[in-house]
Amino acid sequence: MAAPCAGMAGRPLGKFLSCFRRTVAVRTGLRQFSASSMCRATTATERATSPWNLMAAVCLQRLPVISAESSPLEQRFRHMIQQMELEKSLLSDHELRLLEDAERMSRKQSDDYDSDEEDGGRDQDIVLAQDLDDSWEQKLKNFQPAPRVSADVDKDLSSVQRCLADSLVLLAEQQVGSGKLWLLPQAPWQEGETLRQTAERALASLPAAGFNATFLSNAPCGVYKYKLPKAARTDSSEGTKVFFFKAVLSDIAPTTAINAPFMWLQKSELQRYLKPAYMMKVERFILDL
């Protein structure tokens, strides 16, 4: 053991370190090259042999446009807050004017009332605060608010103006195999694009829709895997993996499409049109706002 150690110790230190660096570099390079080659080969093999097609779908929601009806508990709470504010608040300018008018009327009824001293000796029309109250009350009675519910519009499932107090989700009629199903708008993934770009293309491809949407994330919010009908299955295409992306409708302008192949539904209405397995995946990320 002493001879090899003595030989190594006799070598110049710089030559020994240079040999060590070359050995490490060569070994590391070989290891990196072999690992990257194996990854590329594995990925190519998986793409070539995978029987699953990739698709991206968009969950487009129309948020509530008007406030929802208050529950009995909310109505009682609102009444309590209004009563507390009324009892603890200071008098407004209009309320102070009402008191001044009442005091002036009481002075006019007294025997020592001097109209010249009260009015400054000028003839003018005095508008009492009570007169303003009466006119405002009449305007309130004549005011007719817009209806919150329109039965004809609410029955039209293709109208984005239906159920303004609720959140709606867009469903589109999609071709799956040899049949058609109601699904979230989806499109097959294409080489060179991200899954979000595929979801955007799926929304833009709806006929005569023209929806302006804001996507909430670059990452999917859910995934669903299903098999194609037996008549449509092949060795290279057994089923589809669908990645969902969430978006919010930016413009609620009514569409001009007639007999459009899409519907705006509440969350409680989705189960009538979606398959149970599909509905179980979708309802996880749909918020009933």
Side-chain angles (χ1 to χ4, degrees):
M1 294 297 292
C5 292
M8 292 177 63
R11 292 182 182 180
L13 181 61
K15 183 181 295 184
F16 174 74
L17 292 178
S18 63
C19 293
F20 178 75
R21 284 197 297 269
R22 286 198 300 271
T23 304
V24 173
V26 170
R27 290 181 179 178
T28 305
L30 289 175
R31 187 179 297 112
Q32 291 177 352
F33 174 77
S34 60
S36 60
S37 300
M38 289 176 62
C39 289
R40 288 195 297 267
T42 303
T43 304
T45 304
E46 289 179 352
R47 290 181 180 177
T49 59
S50 176
W52 297 97
N53 300 319
L54 296 182
M55 301 190 74
V58 54
C59 176
L60 180 62
Q61 282 190 272
R62 192 222 64 189
L63 300 180
V65 179
I66 60 178
S67 59
E69 291 285 353
S70 301
S71 64
L73 178 61
E74 293 173 338
Q75 294 177 3
R76 292 197 300 270
F77 180 76
R78 183 175 66 248
H79 177 72
M80 182 188 69
I81 294 298
Q82 291 175 349
Q83 187 66 26
M84 291 174 58
E85 183 180 0
L86 178 63
E87 294 174 356
K88 297 181 180 180
S89 62
L90 300 177
L91 295 178
S92 64
D93 293 342
H94 182 69
E95 291 171 329
L96 293 175
R97 184 176 175 182
L98 283 172
L99 296 177
E100 292 176 359
D101 291 345
E103 184 180 357
R104 185 183 299 110
M105 293 299 295
S106 63
R107 288 199 303 267
K108 285 184 178 181
Q109 295 176 0
S110 62
D111 297 336
D112 56 349
Y113 174 73
D114 187 0
S115 60
D116 295 337
E117 180 181 355
E118 181 76 21
D119 301 334
R122 295 175 296 178
D123 296 334
Q124 57 182 356
D125 296 332
I126 299 177
V127 179
L128 300 179
Q130 188 61 44
D131 297 335
L132 293 176
D133 273 353
D134 296 339
S135 63
W136 294 339
E137 187 70 23
Q138 186 62 36
K139 288 182 180 179
L140 180 60
K141 291 180 180 180
N142 296 333
F143 175 74
Q144 295 294 333
R148 293 178 54 89
V149 179
S150 178
D152 296 336
V153 177
D154 290 349
K155 293 179 180 179
D156 185 8
L157 299 181
S158 63
S159 174
V160 73
Q161 301 288 344
R162 67 183 300 261
C163 303
L164 296 178
D166 300 317
S167 178
L168 301 180
V169 180
L170 177 67
L171 288 188
E173 194 175 30
Q174 303 284 307
Q175 184 74 33
V176 179
S178 59
K180 291 185 177 181
L181 296 175
W182 287 102
L183 303 170
L184 298 179
Q186 63 184 24
W189 174 79
Q190 295 179 356
E191 188 75 25
E193 66 180 4
T194 63
L195 284 174
R196 169 171 169 170
Q197 291 173 343
T198 305
E200 293 174 348
R201 178 167 54 83
L203 186 61
S205 62
L206 291 179
F211 297 123
N212 295 324
T214 301
F215 280 75
L216 303 183
S217 175
N218 291 326
C221 59
V223 61
Y224 171 67
K225 180 175 70 173
Y226 67 92
K227 292 186 177 181
L228 296 175
K230 292 184 178 180
R233 293 182 194 174
T234 61
D235 294 338
S236 61
S237 178
E238 181 179 352
T240 302
K241 293 181 180 180
V242 184
F243 295 88
F244 301 103
F245 290 81
K246 293 198 68 174
V248 176
L249 188 65
S250 304
D251 186 9
I252 62 169
T255 57
T256 58
I258 301 176
N259 297 326
F262 53 81
M263 298 185 297
W264 290 97
L265 302 177
Q266 303 178 26
K267 185 177 180 179
S268 59
E269 299 172 333
L270 293 175
Q271 58 185 356
R272 293 188 295 177
Y273 299 92
L274 300 180
K275 298 293 184 180
Y278 191 86
M279 179 65 188
M280 183 178 64
K281 298 292 185 180
V282 169
E283 66 180 355
R284 295 178 179 177
F285 53 82
I286 295 181
L287 300 179
D288 193 6
L289 301 177

